[in-house]
């Protein structure tokens, strides 16, 4: 069972990921992170710093402004992370490079092969 924290859980992609995760018995959504508040079947926080649940990986479909803090927290908590958010500046991409020396980090601005690519990436992580 792979435990997942979903950053941007209430966005369009976050909602799609929620459905995919619930449809699979080998995936478990342990917590979500979003700047908006909504009812959910899982605990929701505004920052990874607040999340107490343990997980195998963080999946991010959010906003570029959230990436530096998210990555810092992933490094601090030693959590592997998949980042799909687009629009990252060169400075933020450089930050991902640096973080990838400390934790498993998969970044792609084009997951066009869909959710299967993401799941394959998770298995590799
Ligand atoms: N890599 C890919 O193939 C791929 C595919 C689709 C979308 N995307 C990217 O994923 C991102 C999300 O897309 P979307 O269509 O779901 O967007 P969206 O606007 O529907 O959802 C973004 C979500 O992130 C939340 N959010 C914003 N700032 C946040 C923060 N600081 N912390 C936590 N959550 C925050 C918003 O409240 C919202 O719920 C975009 O950057 C989009 O370009 C990438």
């Amino acid at each position: 069972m792979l435990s997942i924290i979903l950053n941007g859980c209430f966005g369009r992609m976050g909602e799609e990921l929620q459905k995919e995760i619930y449809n699979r018995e080998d995936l478990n959504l342990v917590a979500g992170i979003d700047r908006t508040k909504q009812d959910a079947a899982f605990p929701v926080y505004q920052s990874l710093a607040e999340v107490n649940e343990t997980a195998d990986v963080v999946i991010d479909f959010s906003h570029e402004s959230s990436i530096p803090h998210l990555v810092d927290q992933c490094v601090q908590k030693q959590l592997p992370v998949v980042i799909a958010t687009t629009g990252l500046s060169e400075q933020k991409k450089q930050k991902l490079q640096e973080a990838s020396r400390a934790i498993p980090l998969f970044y792609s601005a084009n997951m066009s092969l869909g959710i299967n690519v993401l799941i394959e990436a998770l298995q590799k992580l």
Side-chain angles (χ1 to χ4, degrees):
M1 177 76 80
L2 194 76
S3 298
I4 298 169
I5 296 169
L6 189 51
N7 192 49
C9 60
F10 296 136
R12 283 181 294 268
M13 290 304 295
E15 299 276 2
E16 289 303 316
L17 261 288
Q18 282 191 46
K19 286 183 216 154
E20 279 301 321
I21 292 167
Y22 282 125
N23 283 336
R24 289 187 52 131
E25 289 182 355
D26 55 341
L27 302 179
N28 184 25
L29 181 52
V30 294
I33 303 165
D34 207 291
R35 65 177 179 175
T36 64
K37 288 199 171 182
Q38 294 180 33
D39 288 336
F42 48 88
V44 180
Y45 304 92
Q46 293 205 307
S47 157
L48 182 55
E50 300 165 10
V51 178
N52 290 319
E53 285 76 6
T54 55
D56 298 304
V57 67
V58 177
I59 302 178
D60 161 75
F61 281 90
S62 63
H63 188 266
E64 52 86 19
S65 62
S66 83
I67 298 305
H69 176 74
L70 181 75
V71 168
D72 285 344
Q73 283 295 314
C74 287
V75 170
Q76 191 171 327
K77 293 178 181 242
Q78 286 293 291
L79 273 172
V81 59
V82 174
I83 295 176
T85 292
T86 57
L88 303 193
S89 64
E90 284 308 313
Q91 195 181 6
K92 284 177 182 152
K93 288 180 189 167
Q94 182 63 35
K95 190 172 180 68
L96 301 191
Q97 286 276 0
E98 287 162 17
S100 71
R101 296 189 198 111
I103 53 169
L105 188 154
F106 180 85
Y107 163 65
S108 173
N110 185 355
M111 301 270 190
S112 57
L113 289 181
I115 202 69
N116 290 326
V117 170
L118 187 55
I119 288 166
E120 197 172 317
L122 286 175
Q123 284 163 351
K124 284 186 178 145
L125 279 178

